[in-house]
Amino acid sequence: KQWYQRRVRGGMEALNRLKVFEGIPPPYDKQKRMVVPSAIRVLRLKPGRKYASVGRISREVGWKYGDVVEKLETKRKEKSAAYIQAKNKMSALRAKAAASS
């Protein structure tokens, strides 16, 4: 049985609302990331249960763009680190200016 019923109107609407991305696309890469505790594998699965990651399954069935996504993810992390560093520098300067005035 499928997790959604694609032949029913509600299932088709749910499938149309679904968004799937490789990595973090530009509109979302600037947003603050959050941890959803109810989705953490350690909290949700019983010890000893088997699990599979989407990346591993994709590689097993022949997906060949893992290296490209990994490279792009490395570039994104570098840009993100530079952005955070500049943001922290600006907030420190603002705090210093507010304290001096």
Side-chain angles (χ1 to χ4, degrees), residues 5-85:
Q5 295 181 350
R6 61 189 167 95
R7 291 185 176 90
V8 180
R9 191 178 119 244
M12 290 177 93
E13 290 174 0
L15 191 59
N16 288 335
R17 287 190 304 264
L18 180 67
K19 291 183 180 180
V20 181
F21 303 103
E22 291 180 6
I24 302 174
Y28 304 112
D29 61 350
K30 300 286 187 208
Q31 290 183 350
K32 183 178 178 184
R33 287 159 195 60
M34 294 182 232
V35 174
V36 181
S38 61
I40 297 176
R41 182 181 69 230
V42 176
L43 299 176
R44 300 301 297 174
L45 291 180
K46 293 180 182 177
R49 290 282 189 185
K50 294 181 179 180
Y51 66 92
S53 66
V54 175
R56 184 180 62 83
I57 293 171
S58 300
R59 279 191 301 275
E60 286 178 2
V61 297
W63 187 59
K64 52 189 177 220
Y65 297 104
D67 299 334
V68 174
V69 171
E70 197 171 309
K71 245 193 279 187
L72 291 172
E73 186 69 12
T74 307
K75 282 173 56 178
R76 183 199 61 80
K77 286 181 181 178
E78 290 171 0
K79 280 176 58 179
S80 178
Y83 172 76
I84 297 277
Q85 190 176 16

Side-chain angles (χ1 to χ4, degrees), residues 90-101:
M90 287 301 292
S91 64
L93 287 173
R94 282 193 189 112
K96 187 177 178 182
S100 67
S101 58

